[in-house]
Amino acid sequence: MKERDSESFESLSQVLPNTSNPTHVIQMAMVNSGSSAVAPARQDQLDRSKWLLECPEPPSPWQELKRQVKDSFVTKAKKFKSLRKQPLPKRILSILQAVFPIFGWCRNYKLTMFKNDLMAGLTLASLCIPQSIGYATLAKLDPQYGLYTSVVPPLIYAFMGTSREIAIGPVAVVSLLISSMLQKLIDPETDPLGYTKL
């Protein structure tokens, strides 16, 4: 048994002679753990450990931004090339569907769905009205601003949004941050109009 272990260690040390590297130490420990040869599963573990110990540098935020912008422009350019071949009314409809997704799903909308949506809207409104007034108070603003921020954005999102589950509107943390940051610039007690504008 020891002879097999020493043979496998020698064969591995010929491939990886440097024992100061942590990856090599892990590989040698795996060889000495009782098996005579490195199995494919263990080779995967070695590759993973090497990846963890010698991982590449992540891309900078600037490089990531450039890549994302480039990818989005490439996909949009491909879509516009395919649009040019279509007749003008279809082209206009597809552009409108890209900006306003409601044009895509409203064709399949039924009266039963509207009843459910109306009930959900009334339920959420009964919660959002006092909640949004409270958020406006936290931000040291008049109550109507809380109502604006809880009613207008969901109406816009109904036409331009793509998710059915996302919640749109003010939250307590943002309201607290607004009041704590803006009070350093303008006092809402002495200049309420300037504070509201800011």
Side-chain angles (χ1 to χ4, degrees):
M1 180 78 169
K2 288 183 179 178
E3 290 175 6
R4 271 193 265 154
D5 286 345
S6 62
E7 287 173 9
S8 61
F9 178 74
E10 287 174 10
S11 64
L12 191 59
S13 65
Q14 289 172 357
V15 177
L16 306 165
N18 185 5
T19 57
S20 63
N21 190 336
T23 307
H24 300 164
V25 174
I26 289 172
Q27 289 172 340
M28 283 187 262
M30 292 179 85
V31 168
N32 289 329
S33 66
S35 68
S36 60
V38 179
R42 290 196 176 188
Q43 188 62 41
D44 289 344
Q45 289 177 343
L46 292 174
D47 292 341
R48 278 191 225 127
S49 64
K50 185 175 181 183
W51 176 259
L52 287 172
L53 294 171
E54 299 172 7
C55 62
E57 285 290 319
S60 68
W62 176 246
Q63 289 173 334
E64 190 67 26
L65 179 68
K66 280 196 321 190
R67 186 186 62 78
Q68 287 181 358
V69 168
K70 182 181 174 184
D71 290 347
S72 66
F73 276 119
V74 166
T75 54
K76 284 183 181 175
K78 287 178 183 175
K79 283 182 184 176
F80 282 124
K81 281 182 185 177
S82 64
L83 276 177
R84 287 182 193 158
K85 298 172 185 173
Q86 295 178 356
L88 185 64
K90 276 196 169 188
R91 234 186 294 176
I92 292 172
L93 184 64
S94 59
I95 289 171
L96 282 174
Q97 282 179 351
V99 178
F100 301 103
I102 193 170
F103 289 117
W105 58 261
C106 72
R107 287 177 275 172
N108 303 327
Y109 202 71
K110 297 175 184 162
L111 187 61
T112 56
M113 293 175 159
F114 177 73
K115 288 178 184 175
N116 294 334
D117 286 345
L118 181 66
M119 194 62 174
L122 291 173
T123 306
L124 283 174
S126 66
L127 169 77
C128 281
I129 289 171
Q131 189 178 21
S132 59
I133 292 171
Y135 289 155
T137 307
L138 282 176
K140 304 277 193 277
L141 292 168
D142 295 330
Q144 64 264 26
Y145 294 108
L147 292 172
Y148 294 151
T149 57
S150 66
V151 172
V152 175
L155 288 176
I156 295 170
Y157 193 82
F159 290 94
M160 302 186 77
T162 55
S163 173
R164 293 177 6 172
E165 288 82 16
I166 194 167
I168 305 294
V171 291
V173 175
V174 173
S175 303
L176 287 169
L177 284 172
I178 286 173
S179 66
S180 65
M181 287 168 41
L182 294 186
Q183 279 181 347
K184 295 175 183 174
L185 301 173
I186 293 179
D187 186 19
E189 303 292 329
T190 58
D191 189 7
L193 187 63
Y195 180 83
T196 303
K197 285 181 179 178
L198 190 61

